[in-house]
Amino acid sequence: MPLPHEKYYTLEDIYALPNGKRAELIDGQIYDMAPPSRIHQKIIQFMSMAIGNYIAGKNGTCEVYPAPFAVFLNQDDTNYVEPDISVICDRDKLDEHGCNGAPDWIIEVVSPSSKRMDRSIKLFKYRSAGVREYWMIDQAKNAVTVYFFEEDFVEDYTLADTVQAHIYEDLEIDFSLLDLK
């Protein structure tokens, strides 16, 4: 007896979702996205401002995009993600739809509904697509996990630590400045 087949989705299905409904597409499977909490948004704003101010202060060419921002990781029609923050240094990857290929740096703020996705599925997809650096910020666990794929290491921090970005020599994010109230 043959095994039942799962439905295989494409970008066409993502674009056909009702207005306001957000989802990601990974290897042809759709994953619904829950609305972010206020604290989730506060962390994204803090990180986007810190990184954006750093880039502007260095007259850098990288660009910072907070969600919702489309990333077509494998430049195919079966993978579409919306990382919380994407930093793209190769402007040739950018078009009016989003980023075609791997951003240099991705930051995900872990939510109760996204833990499995952020810690396993997206970790694997980001690494295999060529993302250079991946941060997971988990407010519930008071944790920041940094993956620097180029040198194959992982570091763990708390939300009271100062964390060094690895794609930049002198960018440090002081999480003690983040007011989570």
Side-chain angles (χ1 to χ4, degrees):
M1 182 166 148
L3 294 173
H5 293 287
E6 289 187 33
K7 180 154 173 53
Y8 195 72
Y9 297 93
T10 67
L11 286 174
E12 187 175 315
D13 298 300
I14 288 291
Y15 289 126
L17 292 173
N19 234 2
K21 181 172 172 82
R22 291 181 54 211
E24 294 179 306
L25 178 67
I26 298 177
D27 296 329
Q29 295 302 303
I30 290 182
Y31 297 88
D32 291 330
M33 297 174 70
S37 70
R38 180 185 66 83
I39 296 297
H40 185 108
Q41 292 298 90
K42 195 170 191 176
I43 295 169
I44 292 171
Q45 180 182 14
F46 173 80
M47 293 297 297
S48 295
M49 287 178 55
I51 298 165
N53 288 341
Y54 169 83
I55 292 169
K58 297 287 185 175
N59 293 317
T61 58
C62 299
E63 296 188 17
V64 181
Y65 292 93
F69 180 73
V71 173
F72 307 93
L73 278 176
N74 300 333
Q75 300 182 57
D76 60 21
D77 71 342
T78 61
N79 288 282
Y80 165 94
V81 292
E82 291 185 7
D84 287 320
I85 299 173
S86 300
V87 179
I88 297 111
C89 299
D90 180 354
R91 290 186 179 187
D92 289 338
K93 291 182 178 181
L94 298 170
D95 66 19
E96 69 275 4
H97 301 291
C99 178
N100 296 290
D104 293 87
W105 183 9
I106 288 180
I107 299 166
E108 294 283 8
V109 179
V110 177
S111 300
S113 64
S114 73
K115 284 180 186 182
R116 181 176 152 269
M117 286 289 293
D118 294 339
R119 291 197 174 113
S120 60
I121 296 170
K122 284 185 175 180
L123 174 65
F124 173 78
K125 289 303 285 185
Y126 292 160
R127 181 181 190 130
S128 61
V131 171
R132 296 170 58 201
E133 186 163 357
Y134 175 42
W135 289 22
M136 283 187 292
I137 302 170
D138 189 336
Q139 187 257 337
K141 289 190 172 194
N142 187 39
V144 178
T145 304
V146 174
Y147 294 88
F148 188 49
F149 298 133
E150 287 185 341
E151 295 185 13
D152 201 29
F153 72 83
V154 61
E155 298 173 321
D156 292 307
Y157 301 91
T158 72
L159 290 173
D161 292 329
T162 297
V163 180
Q164 170 70 47
H166 296 281
I167 67 166
Y168 300 110
E169 284 183 15
D170 57 348
L171 171 59
E172 295 180 336
I173 307 289
D174 183 355
F175 281 93
S176 70
L177 300 175
L178 177 58
D179 177 12
L180 294 176
K181 295 176 186 157

